């Protein structure tokens, strides 16, 4: 709407005040607007009723009454009579950027194409609600059923949002206490492993000694015919 009004301000330069006529408290003003068609200028005349005291104006083009913005003809006579302040009656609340209106929840921009997921969801839900109401709500009983369903859904959504807010926060696995507990547990397990001897699937010294003794006994039996010379040699090593 700002751009539309800006266009009217630019078109004001194509308007020329031709005549004025006093009628009681108001002034009837004829304004010619120049337009170009096929390279030739064409003039259209519009009559504006202007009150110099209240500065209220009405143009026969009825642009303000139909669209809600001032036309270039009214802006031209304001410039002619040096009106530098716009009356509040010409500043409609619906054109304010701060206005709250649920039916235009989906925002739009003339400069940048925007696609917001929440706005798309809202638009789709509104379409579904409209279709349900249009197809089924034909009497007060059906309206009451739909209203009850909506109230129940609202209650569930409120509980869901409340629970979601309560559980919102840093995940438990990411808490400092959880990391500390994990570190302490790992350290204790490491100390426990160090305090216990490692079990290795190898023969002990006693097992090796028993194996040697067995081999020695076998050697004794095998060398008994030699008169015990080999046993004497082994006995000499044991006494070292």
């Amino acid at each position: 709407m700002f751009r539309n009004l800006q266009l009217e301000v630019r078109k004001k330069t194509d308007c020329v005040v031709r005549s004025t006529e006093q009628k009681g408290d108001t002034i009837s003003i004829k304004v010619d607007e120049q337009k170009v068609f096929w390279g030739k200028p064409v003039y259209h005349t519009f009559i504006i009723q202007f009150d110099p005291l209240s500065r209220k104006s009405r143009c026969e083009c009825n642009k303000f009454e139909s669209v809600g913005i001032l036309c270039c003809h009214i802006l031209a006579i304001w410039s002619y009579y040096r009106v530098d302040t716009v009356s509040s009656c010409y500043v409609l609340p619906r054109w304010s950027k701060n206005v709250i209106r649920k039916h235009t929840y989906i925002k739009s921009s003339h400069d940048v194409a925007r696609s917001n997921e929440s706005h798309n969801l809202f638009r789709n839900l509104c379409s579904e609600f409209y279709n349900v109401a249009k197809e089924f709500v034909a009497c007060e009983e059906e309206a009451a059923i739909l209203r009850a369903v909506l109230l129940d859904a609202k209650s569930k959504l409120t509980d869901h949002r409340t629970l979601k807010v309560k559980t919102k926060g840093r995940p438990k696995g990411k808490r400092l206490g959880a990391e500390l507990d994990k570190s302490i547990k790992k350290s204790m397990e490491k100390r426990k492993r160090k305090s216990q001897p490692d079990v290795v699937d190898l023969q002990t010294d006693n097992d090796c000694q028993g194996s040697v003794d067995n081999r020695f006994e076998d050697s004794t039996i095998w060398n008994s015919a030699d008169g015990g010379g080999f046993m004497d040699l082994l006995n000499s090593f044991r006494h070292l």
Side-chain angles (χ1 to χ4, degrees):
M1 296 309 299
F2 171 79
R3 305 228 182 271
N4 292 337
L5 181 59
Q6 190 179 53
L7 178 61
E8 295 298 321
V9 174
R10 292 175 180 173
K11 289 166 59 178
K12 176 178 68 69
T13 59
D14 298 329
C15 298
V16 179
V17 177
R18 291 300 182 188
S19 64
T20 61
E21 182 181 356
Q22 187 76 33
K23 293 183 177 180
D25 296 334
T26 63
I27 303 175
S28 179
I29 306 169
K30 289 184 178 181
V31 175
D32 288 346
E33 180 185 1
Q34 178 182 344
K35 296 183 179 181
V36 179
F37 291 99
W38 302 101
K40 296 181 180 181
V42 178
Y43 294 90
H44 297 276
T45 302
F46 298 89
I47 299 177
I48 299 95
Q49 304 299 327
F50 174 62
D51 186 350
L53 296 179
S54 63
R55 298 183 176 181
K56 291 184 178 181
S57 307
R58 182 184 178 87
C59 181
E60 64 178 2
C61 73
N62 292 322
K63 190 175 188 67
F64 179 78
E65 288 76 13
S66 59
V67 181
I69 61 175
L70 293 169
C71 63
C72 60
H73 317 120
I74 292 179
L75 295 175
I77 66 167
W78 282 4
S79 177
Y80 182 81
Y81 284 98
R82 300 182 183 277
V83 177
D84 55 1
T85 303
V86 179
S87 177
S88 60
C89 65
Y90 296 109
V91 183
L92 300 183
R94 67 175 182 265
W95 303 139
S96 171
K97 64 180 180 180
N98 298 322
V99 68
I100 299 176
R101 46 187 184 271
K102 295 181 179 180
H103 65 282
T104 56
Y105 179 82
I106 304 174
K107 298 180 180 180
S108 62
S109 173
H110 294 286
D111 299 324
V112 181
R114 292 160 41 178
S115 177
N116 189 293
E117 183 179 358
S118 62
H119 294 160
N120 292 334
L121 290 173
F122 182 86
R123 181 181 60 187
N124 294 335
L125 286 174
C126 286
S127 177
E128 292 177 5
F129 293 156
Y130 174 80
N131 292 334
V132 170
K134 182 179 179 181
E135 182 176 357
F136 295 101
V137 179
C139 61
E140 183 61 31
E141 183 180 359
E142 293 180 350
I145 294 174
L146 180 59
R147 191 177 296 110
V149 172
L150 291 176
L151 290 176
D152 182 63
K154 181 180 179 180
S155 177
K156 291 181 179 180
L157 289 172
T158 302
D159 296 340
H160 172 73
R161 179 170 292 182
T162 303
L163 180 62
K164 187 176 180 181
V165 171
K166 287 183 179 180
T167 58
K168 186 177 181 180
R170 181 181 294 180
K172 295 182 179 181
K174 299 295 183 180
R175 292 186 300 108
L176 180 60
E179 294 294 333
L180 184 60
D181 293 341
K182 187 185 296 184
S183 177
I184 294 175
K185 184 178 180 180
K186 186 182 295 185
S187 178
M188 293 180 64
E189 291 177 352
K190 188 175 181 180
R191 290 183 180 180
K192 187 176 180 181
R193 287 196 302 269
K194 287 185 177 181
S195 62
Q196 296 178 355
D198 295 336
V199 178
V200 182
D201 190 16
L202 296 176
Q203 290 182 336
T204 61
D205 294 339
N206 294 332
D207 294 334
C208 293
Q209 184 63 39
S211 178
V212 172
D213 292 341
N214 292 335
R215 288 196 298 270
F216 287 164
E217 292 176 0
D218 294 338
S219 300
T220 304
I221 298 172
W222 182 71
N223 291 309
S224 58
D226 296 337
F230 186 71
M231 287 298 300
D232 293 338
L233 179 61
L234 288 177
N235 289 332
S236 65
F237 279 108
R238 290 182 179 179
H239 291 290
L240 291 178

